[in-house]
Structure formats: structure tokens, C-alpha cells
Amino acid sequence: MTQNKKDQKKSEADSLNGGEKKAKRSSLRRAVVILAALIAVALVFNAVMFFVGMKTNYLHRWAGGQYFGEIIEMNGGSFVIQGRGNERLVVLITEQTVIKKGTETIKDALQVGDRVIIFGPLDKKGRVESQLIRIFDPENPADPRDFFQPPF
Amino acid sequence: MEKNKILKYIPRIMLILLFISMSFYFYAYSSPEEMISFIGVKNAYSLIFVLAFLGGMTTFSGIPYHLVLITLATGGLNPLFLGLSTATGVMLGDSTSYYVGYQGSVIIPGALQKILMIIRNFGLKHPKILPLFFFLYGSLSPFSNDFIVISMGLSQYPFWRVMVPLGLGNLVFNISLAYLATQAYNLLKGIVF
């Protein structure tokens, strides 16, 4: 009689464990399905946005010629910048070039040591025909103290 | 009664329309020259911060600030600070997208609301799984976070549980991209452009 009761309890416990395991497995399956669905929708959505961006030339507009570096040499009507490597780039200043520092548009303010970002296409000789030059503060821009300056 | 309901939701609808039209404007007309000419900063980290903020704030179209990040990193800026300022900017911007989604949660169709509720309840029941997914998405995916933040806003999933892991993921992604750019600019140019 006692043995029967023990067996019954054991079988109940086994059945409970089995139920828990089943519930866990079902929950895991649901988690996988939900995450897979989220990833799939996110990927499809972003792929569509990327395709539209390529088709409408939006991404190309942003990927056009842009260069950043330090001015290492000034010549009349042009200057030379150097980036992280040893590669140097000649930048031409034309009448159409707009030079900005902060909110102001300025002229003849470029100096050796300035860090600048330049926009413009390359000519056949590999020089940048600058359309926009923005001058950043001459201090070392890797200094964390500069990081907290107000943006405007 | 119906009229009152519409009047009640007008401010929310206006807010959503404002974000959509702003995003459309950026998508249709923005160019890096115009943006960088307009953002009157004297510090390159502030520049990428503002660009990333605008990129995060604009819904769906965004501004491909990653390309400027690559340019700045190869130009000699500190990749760690670049990644940090970019991730901070984009997460602040994405917070507005979350807010727009949150505001829109009351006006979405019932069927969509039902699906979002399933995800929300699942996330609340298993509090580690979705944040881990957000972190992985942020750190591995070069795509916009809008889909994630807007859908989580719509489902009213807790703000910090989305933003903290997604922000950390974005931090990893942007620092890695800046470091990668310093190491392999020519290779990257071949792939991206």
C-alpha cells in the first residue's frame, strides 16, 4: 500500500517535471520565433531603406568627396593636408569655395596647423577642387576637454 | 464622442506628422556640404555628435553619419572619442523616435497592437532576452535603430531597457568602425562606396 503511494507520488512528480520541461521548451521555441521574426523584419525593412537610398542616389550624395586632415603647407590658391597616414592631398581654393569657421563665413583665414574638413570632387590630377572648407579649432581635437564645448 | 476622441489625439498626430515630414525633408534635400555648413561648430567631435543626433532624430531616412565618422577617423581624430560622441548623439536622437512611437501607440490599429503586446509581454516575462538582442543589434548592425526604437515605443516597452543596451551596442559599433577606418580606409572605401 505504502509502496503504491510512493509510486503514485513519483509518477506525479515525473509528470510535473515533464510538464515543466514541456512549458520551458515551448517558451524557448516562442522566444526563438519572436527574435527570428524581429530580426527578419528589421533586416527586410533596412534592406528596403538601403535599396531606396541607392536608387535615389541619397547614399552617393553623402559618400561624395569629403576629406579631413591637418594643413601642413600653404601655397597661393592651394594648400596641402595630411591625415592619419603619410598620404598628402592638395586642395585647391577657387572662387566658389566657401570657408566656414563656427557660424561665420571667412576668407584668407587658413593657417598651417588648422584641422579642416573639405568637400569637393577630385580633378584629373588627384587634387581636391574644394567647395566647402570648415575649420576646426587649432588645438589638439583629441583633447577630451574640447569634447564638451557647446555645439552652437 | 468620436469627434472628441479625434480632437484628443490631434497633438499626437501632429507630432508624428512633424517627425515624418522632417525626415522626408532631410531625405530629399540634405547633403553633407549643407549640413556641415549649417552646423556651426568649431570642434570636430561636436560636429559628429550633432550629425549623429540629427541622424537618430530623423525617422527612417536618417543621415548617414557613419561616412563622416570614417572621414574624421582617417583624418587623425581619436577613434574612442569619435565613437563615444557618435553613440551619445545617435542615442539622444533615437530617444525622440522612441517618444514618437510611444505617442503613436494609442492610434495604431488593434491587430498591430496585439502583435506588439505579445513582444512586450514576452520581453517583460524574460527580462534578459530582448536587451541582449538590442545590444547585439546595436553592436553588429550598421543599419538605423529606428525600427527597434519605434516598435518598442509603440509597444510601450520600458525606455531604459531599450536604450541602455542599444546605446552600449552602438558605442561598440561606432568605436569599432572608427578603429577599423583608421586601419583599413582604402578597403572600407571599396566596400561602402
Side-chain angles (χ1 to χ4, degrees), chain A residues 27 31 39 41 45-46 49 52-53 56 58 61-63 66 68 84 100 119 132 134 136-137 141-142 146-147 151, chain B residues 27 30 36-37 39 41-43 45 60 62-63 71 73-75 77 81 85 122 126 133 137 143 147 182 193:
Chain A
S27 173
I39 292 169
V41 176
F45 174 80
N46 282 307
M49 291 309 293
V52 171
T56 54
Y58 178 69
R61 207 159 68 211
W62 273 82
Q66 46 183 289
F68 179 81
R84 187 174 292 275
K100 295 276 239 180
F119 290 88
L132 172 74
R134 172 165 284 286
F136 295 110
D137 277 340
D146 294 343
F147 183 75
Chain B
Y27 193 80
S30 79
I36 285 163
S37 174
I39 302 168
V41 291
K42 290 180 181 174
N43 182 292
Y45 296 105
F60 295 138
I63 291 164
T71 304
T74 51
L77 291 193
F81 291 135
S85 47
F122 170 80
H126 306 276
F133 168 73
Y137 182 88
F143 299 122
F147 177 79
T182 62
F193 311 132

Side-chain angles (χ1 to χ4, degrees), chain A residues 32-151:
Chain A
V32 171
V33 168
I34 286 178
L35 288 184
L38 264 177
I39 292 169
V41 176
L43 281 180
V44 168
F45 174 80
N46 282 307
V48 169
M49 291 309 293
F50 184 76
F51 183 74
V52 171
M54 293 296 277
K55 274 281 166 196
T56 54
N57 269 343
Y58 178 69
L59 289 176
H60 279 96
R61 207 159 68 211
W62 273 82
Q66 46 183 289
Y67 311 91
F68 179 81
E70 186 179 338
I71 300 178
I72 55 164
E73 198 181 309
M74 288 293 304
N75 304 309
S78 72
F79 60 91
V80 181
I81 60 162
Q82 189 171 15
R84 187 174 292 275
N86 290 324
E87 203 177 319
R88 292 168 180 206
L89 198 62
V90 177
V91 182
L92 304 174
I93 305 170
T94 65
E95 282 184 6
Q96 283 77 43
T97 305
V98 176
I99 304 174
K100 295 276 239 180
K101 186 169 188 177
T103 51
E104 292 169 16
T105 304
I106 49 173
K107 278 185 177 176
D108 304 327
L110 295 167
Q111 293 172 355
V112 171
D114 279 347
R115 287 200 182 233
V116 287
I117 189 164
I118 300 140
F119 290 88
L122 287 176
D123 69 4
K124 284 177 185 171
K125 290 180 179 171
R127 300 172 302 183
V128 183
E129 291 174 341
S130 62
Q131 290 166 349
L132 172 74
I133 300 171
R134 172 165 284 286
I135 307 171
F136 295 110
D137 277 340
E139 302 99 56
N140 177 13
D143 189 334
R145 283 171 299 180
D146 294 343
F147 183 75
F148 297 104
Q149 281 185 356

Side-chain angles (χ1 to χ4, degrees), chain B residues 10 22 28 43 60 70 94 106 114 118 130 144 153 168 180 190:
Chain B
I10 274 184
M22 201 171 72
N43 182 292
F60 295 138
I70 292 169
D94 279 339
V106 286
K114 221 174 176 180
I118 292 172
L130 281 186
S144 154
L168 289 173
L180 187 69

Side-chain angles (χ1 to χ4, degrees), chain B residues 124-143:
Chain B
L124 293 176
K125 200 175 166 191
H126 306 276
K128 285 179 189 165
I129 292 182
L130 281 186
L132 180 68
F133 168 73
F134 299 145
F135 175 77
L136 290 175
Y137 182 88
S139 53
L140 298 174
S141 156
F143 299 122

